[in-house]
Structures are given as structure tokens and as C-alpha cells.
Amino acid sequence: MRVSIAFAFAATGLAAAPSAAQEMAISVEIPRLKVAEYHRPYVAVWIEDAAGKSVRTLDVWYDVDLKPEDGAKWLPDMRTWWRRAGRSMTMPANGVTAPTKAPGTHSRTYRQGSRPLANLPAGSYNLQVEAAREVGGRELVTVPFQWPPKALTSASARGKSELGAVRLTTKR
Amino acid sequence: MLAKPGLLVLGLALGLSTLLPSEAEAHRRWLLPSSTVLAGESDLVTVDAAASNGLFLFDHRPMALDSLVITGPDGAPVDPTILGAGAYRSMFDVPLRAQGTYRIALVSDGVMGSYELNGERHRFRGSGDALPAGATNISSSRSNSRTETFVTLGAPTDTALQPTGSGLEMIPVTHPNDIVAGEPAVMCFLLDGQPAADLEVEFVAGGTRYRDEPGIVMLRTDAEGRVTLQPSEAGMYYLEVSSSQDAANGQPGRRASYTAVLEFLPL
């Protein structure tokens, strides 16, 4: 799989980035909650640099196709992401936005040189995962990491209410 | 609870549809929006307009909406839908069809004065051009008041926040829809477009019913007319500033007041 992807980059000219094989894999656990009225949470996954500035929004799970209402209306409930990144973006965003997800563990992989990660410069970063649920709460989970990874590295953090385990694996 | 009943009676006697609040009463005047930070292609905020002592409680009287001025993200006026007035509040909706920041304001600008005729003191409102012949001891003062709030659809913009140059205004240095509890928010006050230095600013957290303390923080504008607001708790806050100069040397007196509602979101 890795080989074929590297090959695909070469074919599209993106292999100009020498580190195209570096990747980060995340898993985000949406806890199953026993509440009277449950709605799947809105979730944003983004990267902040050492200064706390948002540099990449990787994923936004929201009610993309809600009709007749505009599901984007509740994006500011993910208030940290909204202030630092969301409000300046156009929604929906190709390759970033997706429908809300059911309770369970959801995995995503992002590769250097490929959207939405593109070419992330070397540095210290925080992976930020924020969840906000209708008639529910809001929570932000942070996992610090270094880029580019020097070796296979795993880190994780756990939410207390709206998020379960957030795991980040980076590999060179 | 009426602090200045005499003046209120005067207002009624003159049949004023909109009392000049700085002279007519001491209650806090506010516009409370349903949201300040919004998203999507378009949206709407509904706003309550009331005067009261407690924040943000509807318990005194509604604000008249005939002086409502809404400035959209492009600087052009936005038409509200006036929903009406109840005993304690008036209400209107503001359609947000363009991305950016909206300035919602009740603005009044008027002159009130008095004169003597045949030994009796009379009051007038307006320019004073049509006073009866024989009026003496004429004095007047100009009064501006502005009651504001701000809402933003999408990313904050600054076009609607430009000074009008008239009366007492707050020109945000920190965008009013980009303020969070625990971070400094800097606001600059101008009087007729010039920095309003050394004015007292009353800054009060909403939710007065649920605490014992008045929750008032008194600040003072610096030489550039600036103050820094930095509440530790998120919530809706009220701010009030006024300035007053008595008539002197043939110059009319000058009163100006400004109030605003600002929402500090949790970080």
C-alpha cells in the first residue's frame, strides 16, 4: 500500500517533497453515552503550531447534508476551532468535511505532501480534537507531537465527557 | 426606583416619543442579541431591547426602536424586522445575509434647552430657532446617546466598526466578536471622533440576579481613550460610559453617553 501511494505521488509530481512517506494516523473515540436525547457530536481535528496558531484543519465532521436547515450553523459550538480556524474557512471543504460519525473509534491517516496535511514544516505541534454535541457538552483534547517524526511514535490523550481516547501515531 | 422622577415628568410633559436616556433616566439601556458568533450561508439574530437596573432582566421598560441603526459588513444599512414591544422589552430580528460583522445601535442626537419668558422658565427640544419673541436666559445642551451590540456571521470584519465621528463611540481595538474570558479585550472611546481620555467606564457582568455583589468594575480611559476589559468568567457583559460638559461662555452644554453589550465566550 505504501509503495503504491508513493508511486502515485511520483506520478502526480508531488514526490518533489522528499518526505512524502511520512504520515500521521489518528484514532478518535466517540463515546457511547446514555442520555435521553442523543445526537452525534460535531468533531473538528486540527493542528496548532507552538504559538497556538492553527496551521491545518484535517477533519470536520458535521451535519453536512442537513435539510432544510444549514448544518454549518452549529459549527461555532466547537468554539476553539471556530475561533482559530473554522470561521475563516469555506464550508464544506473538500477532503476535510464529512458527515457526523456514530459512537465508536474512527481512524484517519494523513500523509506529508498530500492534502489536507500538505507539507507541514518541521516543528513542535499540537493535534487538537474538539467535539460538541447538540443538547450535550463540548470538549477539547490535545496531543503534542514533533514533525517530522524521527521514528515510529505514538501518543494519546483521553477526554472525560464528549471524547474518549485520541491516539496519534506518526511514522517516518 | 426612578432616580430622576422630575425629569421623567418633564419628558412626558413634552410628549417625547424617545426620551434622551442620559437625561431622562438612570437605568441601564441594552441590546441583547440571541447570539454574537454565527456561521453558515445566512442566519438571523433576534435582539431584545430594554432598560433596566438588573442585567439582563426585563423588569422596567422597553427601549424605543425608532432610532435603530444597523450597519452591515459592507457598511450599508440593514433593515431589521421589528417584532414589537411588550411591557418590559422590545424585540427585533436582524437578517444576516452577508458574511462579516454587524453593528446594531440605537442612536439619538438632539438638543434640549430652556428659556425664560415673563419670569417663567420653559423648556424646549430641538434647535431653539422657533422660540417665542422675548425669550431670555436661553440655555441649551446637545445630547448624544448610543446603545450598541455586535454580531458576526463567519469571520469578523471591521467595516461596520468605523467611527461615525458623532457622539461618544466605542471603537474596538480587539474585535468585539473575538473576545474570550481571560484574554484582554482593548476598546477605544471617541467623543466626536477624538480620543475620549479620562472617562469612567462601568463594566458589569450579566446575571446580577444570581449573585450578591453588584459585579461592577470601574475603569478609566487612558490618554488615547482606551480601556482593557479582561473578565475571568465568560458571559454577557454591559458597559457604560458618559461625558458631560455644562454650558459655558455662550457654548451649549454637551452630554454624551454610550452603552454596549459584549459577549465574552469561554476559551
Side-chain angles (χ1 to χ4, degrees), chain A residues 116 121 129:
Chain A
V129 180

Side-chain angles (χ1 to χ4, degrees), chain B residues 83-131:
Chain B
L83 302 173
Y88 290 146
R89 63 170 168 166
S90 45
M91 293 148 280
F92 57 95
D93 286 347
V94 182
L96 313 177
R97 298 197 181 95
Q99 301 285 311
T101 299
Y102 296 70
R103 181 184 194 179
I104 304 170
L106 295 171
V107 185
S108 77
D109 183 357
V111 175
M112 289 181 87
S114 64
Y115 60 90
E116 267 176 36
L117 185 64
N118 304 326
E120 276 185 54
R121 198 96 194 131
H122 298 270
R123 295 190 178 259
F124 66 92
R125 187 172 194 235
S127 66
D129 290 343
L131 297 185

Side-chain angles (χ1 to χ4, degrees), chain A residues 70 72-73 76 79-80 82-83 87, chain B residues 37 39-41 155-156 178 183 266:
Chain A
D70 183 359
K73 178 170 177 166
R79 57 184 185 243
T80 302
W82 181 253
R83 183 170 185 240
R87 69 188 188 190
Chain B
V37 173
E41 292 278 303
D178 189 25
E183 286 186 8

Side-chain angles (χ1 to χ4, degrees), chain B residues 7 11 60 72 79 90-91 123 141 170-171 197 216 224 241 263:
Chain B
L7 284 170
H60 178 53
D79 282 336
S90 45
M91 293 148 280
R123 295 190 178 259
S141 86
M170 182 179 78
I171 302 305
I216 299 171
E224 295 173 306
V241 191
E263 184 174 32

Side-chain angles (χ1 to χ4, degrees), chain A residues 148-172:
Chain A
K150 294 189 173 58
L152 183 70
T153 310
S154 239
S156 66
R158 234 192 136 72
K160 293 185 178 71
S161 53
E162 301 298 332
L163 287 166
V166 172
R167 203 173 309 279
L168 169 66
T169 305
T170 52
K171 51 186 160 185
R172 51 178 300 164

Side-chain angles (χ1 to χ4, degrees), chain A residues 42-122:
Chain A
Y42 278 25
V43 175
V45 180
W46 77 103
I47 297 173
E48 287 180 6
D49 66 14
K53 181 176 179 292
S54 167
V55 293
R56 300 284 188 279
T57 291
L58 303 176
D59 264 279
V60 181
W61 305 335
Y62 76 105
D63 286 327
V64 184
D65 293 321
L66 197 67
K67 293 283 180 335
E69 287 189 276
D70 183 359
K73 178 170 177 166
W74 296 280
L75 288 172
D77 288 353
M78 298 184 283
R79 57 184 185 243
T80 302
W81 169 77
W82 181 253
R83 183 170 185 240
R84 294 185 185 164
R87 69 188 188 190
S88 310
M89 296 172 65
T90 303
M91 292 284 151
N94 217 352
V96 172
T97 46
T100 55
K101 297 185 189 303
T105 298
H106 302 275
S107 300
R108 295 273 284 139
T109 302
Y110 315 99
R111 290 184 180 83
Q112 180 80 337
S114 184
R115 285 182 158 193
L117 195 58
N119 279 313
L120 187 66

